[in-house]
Amino acid sequence: MKDVYTLEDLRNWKTVTAGIDPPIRLAVFGDPIGHSLSPQMHNAALEALKEPMQYCRLHIPVPDLEEALHLLRDNDFLGTNLTIPHKLEVLPFLDDIDSAAEKLGAVNTVLIEDGQFIGFNTDGPGIARTIRAEFDVDLSDLRVMILGAAGGAGRAAAVQCALEGVSRLVLVNRTLEKLEPIYQELRPYFPEERVSAPIKWFQVCPLEEVTLHRQMDHVDLIINATSLGMKRTDPPPLATNLLQPHHLIYDMVYGKGKTKLITAAIDAGARAASGLSMLLYQGALSLEIWLQRDAPVPVMKDALWRAAGFRLVGDPD
Ligand code: NAP
């Protein structure tokens, strides 16, 4: 099996994958996609469950998304995961959308059933499960700040926080105007009478040090949902001198080794965890949608940890 397949491969799928056994029937679409650890995790699970199929990476740029989906259907795929930049772009091509994904406004899992494309979002429920597993606390007990709240994953985190009834929610984005729709959508979850002075219960902020500085005493959990950290040369998503020991930092970015944000959080005496665990729990939920059976979470976790080559902060030896 190749590390990464392309649209051209999909167009000639039967020839390109001749001899691959069991056949590839699940995928993850992205651009870029080479860094994705999803195949290692899902292939370990499929093998453990004795499901006769494999999972691959597909490099699909946005203009090719619709054709790629149709080619999946033609080639007997069960479905696909979607990562950057497809989670919002896929919405027009779906025949149906699960009600939770509709609320979340983004789709990271497509099920192909009776020729129809059905969209789901396992990022939101995956985040709630991840925070509980990583920090031993429920989202509902936390004051949460989300960096990159206007992006697909950030939006999912924001909606999930509202649904879970977090103690406080601060939505942060580089482009502030992009927060307006999600702010209006979530306002009903934070009724005015529960606003406690001097700091608002629910608010938006630009991704600027001076503004964020005023928030830091009043948030417990900071989630990085920006794409900063995916490249080694990226700066951290916020000024690291803002981090305090009481903070819990969840960096959705994952890869080999620690991100600059995770390193800075540990240096500041805060607790921190990387996006690997979110990948695990959203992946387990996606697998359950495709296969309609329980996912083998410990097997998936082992495979992911091995593929990433490092342990999550706070994970037992
Ligand atoms: P997306 O929809 O493209 O959103 C990207 C977000 O990052 C936007 O808020 C964008 O702000 C912000 N951003 C991009 N470049 C920036 C920069 N230079 N400075 C400040 N902000 C910047 O992407 P996504 O799908 O939500 O993914 C976001 C991140 O979450 C990625 O790192 C992805 O790998 C990670 N993720 C991880 C998991 C997991 O399982 N661990 C799952 C999903 C996503 P603007 O609105 O201003 O452009």
Side-chain angles (χ1 to χ4, degrees):
M1 190 158 85
K2 287 203 218 174
D3 278 350
V4 177
Y5 290 91
T6 62
L7 182 73
E8 201 47 43
D9 291 329
L10 263 186
R11 288 180 179 142
N12 304 291
W13 195 243
K14 299 241 166 3
T15 312
V16 169
T17 62
I20 292 183
D21 185 32
I24 300 170
R25 296 187 62 207
L26 289 167
V28 55
F29 283 11
D31 181 17
I33 195 60
H35 69 285
S36 172
L37 301 178
S38 291
Q40 289 95 319
M41 168 176 72
H42 282 293
N43 284 325
L46 292 165
E47 198 180 332
L49 293 173
K50 299 194 181 355
E51 291 280 353
M53 65 185 85
Q54 299 192 66
Y55 181 111
C56 76
R57 295 182 194 90
L58 271 160
H59 176 233
I60 305 293
V62 167
D64 300 332
L65 178 59
E66 185 176 14
E67 183 185 352
L69 284 169
H70 288 128
L71 287 166
L72 287 192
R73 181 171 56 197
D74 298 346
N75 286 294
D76 201 27
F77 276 65
L78 278 186
T80 187
N81 280 133
L82 300 160
T83 185
I84 287 180
H86 296 307
K87 293 182 186 188
L88 309 178
E89 304 290 338
V90 74
L91 298 176
F93 308 129
L94 299 172
D95 297 297
D96 202 358
I97 183 164
D98 164 75
S99 63
E102 197 167 14
K103 277 201 193 86
L104 291 161
V107 159
N108 77 330
T109 304
V110 173
L111 169 70
I112 304 174
E113 194 173 60
D114 300 328
Q116 306 262 296
F117 299 116
I118 307 168
F120 295 84
N121 191 313
T122 64
D123 285 335
I127 290 162
R129 209 167 145 185
T130 299
I131 298 304
R132 209 171 301 124
E134 289 291 359
F135 300 119
D136 214 15
V137 58
D138 281 329
L139 262 183
S140 56
D141 293 330
L142 296 171
R143 300 170 297 172
V144 184
M145 171 185 276
I146 301 170
L147 310 176
R155 231 193 96 83
V159 175
Q160 196 68 33
C161 284
L163 293 172
E164 304 265 336
V166 291
S167 306
R168 200 173 165 246
L169 186 58
V170 183
L171 305 181
V172 180
N173 208 60
R174 173 181 61 175
T175 318
L176 190 63
E177 312 84 81
K178 289 196 194 165
L179 286 175
E180 186 58 20
I182 182 77
Y183 179 68
Q184 293 304 339
E185 188 185 326
L186 297 187
R187 268 175 71 97
Y189 291 89
F190 299 89
E192 286 303 320
E193 63 269 23
R194 289 187 59 186
V195 171
S196 58
I199 199 95
K200 284 186 181 163
W201 190 29
F202 176 48
Q203 68 182 112
V204 295
C205 278
L207 188 48
E208 289 166 6
E209 185 171 347
V210 178
T211 323
L212 294 184
H213 185 260
R214 291 197 285 275
Q215 295 291 335
M216 289 297 156
D217 288 345
H218 309 285
V219 295
D220 308 303
L221 173 66
I222 300 171
I223 298 176
N224 175 34
T226 75
S227 30
L228 285 177
M230 294 181 77
K231 287 186 269 166
R232 286 212 165 271
T233 50
D234 283 344
L238 84 175
T240 52
N241 60 309
L242 295 175
L243 299 174
Q244 300 177 11
H246 80 272
H247 288 145
L248 306 175
I249 310 295
Y250 192 77
D251 193 348
M252 283 194 187
V253 174
Y254 67 87
K256 290 198 191 298
K258 295 186 181 79
T259 61
K260 286 179 185 153
L261 178 62
I262 297 261
T263 304
I266 294 166
D267 289 348
R271 290 168 68 199
S274 90
L276 211 53
S277 50
M278 184 178 151
L279 182 69
L280 170 68
Y281 290 114
Q282 63 78 28
L285 293 168
S286 293
L287 202 68
E288 288 172 3
I289 288 167
W290 292 319
L291 301 179
Q292 291 296 304
R293 60 188 291 196
D294 289 344
V297 172
V299 170
M300 297 171 84
K301 185 174 178 179
D302 274 3
L304 253 189
W305 265 230
R306 265 202 313 279
F310 79 115
R311 288 175 183 279
L312 292 187
V313 177
D315 206 53
D317 288 333

